[in-house]
Short mmCIF file of all heavy atoms in Angstrom, two decimals:
data_model
loop_
_atom_site.label_atom_id
_atom_site.label_comp_id
_atom_site.label_asym_id
_atom_site.label_seq_id
_atom_site.Cartn_x
_atom_site.Cartn_y
_atom_site.Cartn_z
N GLY A 26 -3.57 -12.33 -4.51
CA GLY A 26 -4.91 -12.10 -3.95
C GLY A 26 -4.89 -11.25 -2.74
O GLY A 26 -6.05 -10.90 -2.28
N SER A 27 -3.76 -10.88 -2.17
CA SER A 27 -3.75 -10.08 -0.95
C SER A 27 -4.24 -8.68 -1.18
O SER A 27 -4.91 -8.10 -0.34
CB SER A 27 -2.33 -10.12 -0.34
OG SER A 27 -1.44 -9.54 -1.17
N VAL A 28 -3.89 -8.08 -2.34
CA VAL A 28 -4.35 -6.72 -2.59
C VAL A 28 -5.87 -6.71 -2.82
O VAL A 28 -6.56 -5.88 -2.27
CB VAL A 28 -3.62 -6.14 -3.84
CG1 VAL A 28 -4.28 -4.87 -4.34
CG2 VAL A 28 -2.20 -5.87 -3.58
N SER A 29 -6.38 -7.66 -3.52
CA SER A 29 -7.87 -7.65 -3.72
C SER A 29 -8.61 -7.93 -2.42
O SER A 29 -9.69 -7.35 -2.28
CB SER A 29 -8.25 -8.66 -4.78
OG SER A 29 -7.69 -9.89 -4.61
N THR A 30 -7.97 -8.72 -1.50
CA THR A 30 -8.64 -8.84 -0.21
C THR A 30 -8.64 -7.53 0.58
O THR A 30 -9.66 -7.22 1.23
CB THR A 30 -7.85 -9.97 0.55
OG1 THR A 30 -7.90 -11.21 -0.13
CG2 THR A 30 -8.37 -10.16 2.03
N GLN A 31 -7.52 -6.82 0.50
CA GLN A 31 -7.48 -5.48 1.24
C GLN A 31 -8.51 -4.60 0.62
O GLN A 31 -9.21 -3.84 1.37
CB GLN A 31 -6.05 -4.85 0.99
CG GLN A 31 -4.95 -5.53 1.78
CD GLN A 31 -3.62 -4.86 1.47
OE1 GLN A 31 -3.51 -3.67 1.39
NE2 GLN A 31 -2.60 -5.66 1.28
N ILE A 32 -8.55 -4.56 -0.72
CA ILE A 32 -9.49 -3.63 -1.30
C ILE A 32 -10.98 -4.03 -1.05
O ILE A 32 -11.81 -3.18 -0.80
CB ILE A 32 -9.26 -3.59 -2.83
CG1 ILE A 32 -8.00 -2.79 -3.11
CG2 ILE A 32 -10.39 -2.99 -3.64
CD1 ILE A 32 -7.51 -2.77 -4.55
N LYS A 33 -11.28 -5.29 -0.98
CA LYS A 33 -12.62 -5.75 -0.60
C LYS A 33 -12.96 -5.23 0.76
O LYS A 33 -14.07 -4.75 1.05
CB LYS A 33 -12.71 -7.26 -0.67
CG LYS A 33 -14.09 -7.86 -0.37
CD LYS A 33 -14.12 -9.30 -0.61
CE LYS A 33 -15.45 -9.91 -0.35
NZ LYS A 33 -15.46 -11.33 -0.44
N SER A 34 -12.01 -5.30 1.74
CA SER A 34 -12.23 -4.84 3.09
C SER A 34 -12.44 -3.36 3.11
O SER A 34 -13.33 -2.86 3.81
CB SER A 34 -10.99 -5.25 3.94
OG SER A 34 -11.19 -4.77 5.25
N ILE A 35 -11.66 -2.60 2.31
CA ILE A 35 -11.85 -1.15 2.29
C ILE A 35 -13.25 -0.80 1.72
O ILE A 35 -13.93 0.09 2.30
CB ILE A 35 -10.76 -0.52 1.36
CG1 ILE A 35 -9.41 -0.64 2.03
CG2 ILE A 35 -11.12 0.89 0.95
CD1 ILE A 35 -8.20 -0.38 1.12
N LEU A 36 -13.71 -1.45 0.69
CA LEU A 36 -15.02 -1.22 0.14
C LEU A 36 -16.14 -1.53 1.13
O LEU A 36 -17.10 -0.85 1.19
CB LEU A 36 -15.17 -1.97 -1.18
CG LEU A 36 -14.18 -1.57 -2.35
CD1 LEU A 36 -14.39 -2.44 -3.54
CD2 LEU A 36 -14.25 -0.08 -2.62
N LYS A 37 -15.92 -2.63 1.88
CA LYS A 37 -16.91 -2.95 2.93
C LYS A 37 -16.97 -1.84 4.01
O LYS A 37 -18.04 -1.47 4.44
CB LYS A 37 -16.58 -4.26 3.62
CG LYS A 37 -16.94 -5.52 2.79
CD LYS A 37 -16.62 -6.76 3.58
CE LYS A 37 -17.06 -8.00 2.81
NZ LYS A 37 -16.74 -9.25 3.60
N ASN A 38 -15.76 -1.37 4.44
CA ASN A 38 -15.66 -0.33 5.40
C ASN A 38 -16.32 1.01 4.91
O ASN A 38 -16.91 1.74 5.76
CB ASN A 38 -14.28 -0.08 5.87
CG ASN A 38 -13.73 -1.20 6.71
OD1 ASN A 38 -14.53 -1.94 7.40
ND2 ASN A 38 -12.43 -1.38 6.76
N ILE A 39 -16.25 1.28 3.72
CA ILE A 39 -16.86 2.49 3.10
C ILE A 39 -18.37 2.33 3.11
O ILE A 39 -19.08 3.31 3.20
CB ILE A 39 -16.31 2.67 1.65
CG1 ILE A 39 -14.85 3.17 1.69
CG2 ILE A 39 -17.20 3.70 0.94
CD1 ILE A 39 -14.16 3.31 0.36
N GLY A 40 -18.85 1.08 3.09
CA GLY A 40 -20.29 0.84 3.15
C GLY A 40 -20.94 0.65 1.84
O GLY A 40 -22.12 0.89 1.70
N LEU A 41 -20.19 0.24 0.85
CA LEU A 41 -20.79 0.04 -0.47
C LEU A 41 -21.71 -1.17 -0.49
O LEU A 41 -21.54 -2.11 0.34
CB LEU A 41 -19.68 -0.17 -1.51
CG LEU A 41 -18.77 1.06 -1.77
CD1 LEU A 41 -17.79 0.75 -2.81
CD2 LEU A 41 -19.63 2.27 -2.24
N PRO A 42 -22.71 -1.18 -1.38
CA PRO A 42 -23.62 -2.33 -1.50
C PRO A 42 -22.84 -3.60 -1.85
O PRO A 42 -21.85 -3.54 -2.58
CB PRO A 42 -24.58 -1.92 -2.60
CG PRO A 42 -24.45 -0.46 -2.79
CD PRO A 42 -23.07 -0.13 -2.32
N ASN A 43 -23.34 -4.72 -1.36
CA ASN A 43 -22.72 -6.03 -1.62
C ASN A 43 -22.46 -6.35 -3.08
O ASN A 43 -21.43 -6.91 -3.48
CB ASN A 43 -23.37 -7.18 -0.94
CG ASN A 43 -23.26 -7.11 0.55
OD1 ASN A 43 -22.29 -6.58 1.08
ND2 ASN A 43 -24.19 -7.68 1.32
N ASN A 44 -23.45 -5.97 -3.98
CA ASN A 44 -23.34 -6.32 -5.41
C ASN A 44 -22.14 -5.53 -5.97
O ASN A 44 -21.45 -6.02 -6.91
CB ASN A 44 -24.59 -6.08 -6.10
CG ASN A 44 -25.05 -4.57 -6.17
OD1 ASN A 44 -24.93 -3.91 -5.16
ND2 ASN A 44 -25.62 -4.19 -7.22
N ILE A 45 -21.90 -4.34 -5.52
CA ILE A 45 -20.76 -3.50 -6.05
C ILE A 45 -19.49 -4.10 -5.48
O ILE A 45 -18.46 -4.13 -6.28
CB ILE A 45 -20.97 -2.05 -5.60
CG1 ILE A 45 -22.25 -1.46 -6.15
CG2 ILE A 45 -19.74 -1.20 -6.07
CD1 ILE A 45 -22.42 -1.48 -7.70
N ILE A 46 -19.41 -4.44 -4.25
CA ILE A 46 -18.22 -5.00 -3.68
C ILE A 46 -17.86 -6.32 -4.42
O ILE A 46 -16.69 -6.56 -4.75
CB ILE A 46 -18.43 -5.31 -2.16
CG1 ILE A 46 -18.56 -3.98 -1.43
CG2 ILE A 46 -17.21 -6.19 -1.62
CD1 ILE A 46 -18.96 -4.11 0.02
#
Side-chain angles (χ1 to χ4, degrees):
S27 63
V28 168
S29 48
T30 298
Q31 289 176 42
I32 288 175
K33 184 177 179 182
S34 178
I35 289 166
L36 298 178
K37 282 183 177 179
N38 287 336
I39 289 173
L41 294 179
N43 287 337
N44 65 321
I45 301 302
I46 293 170

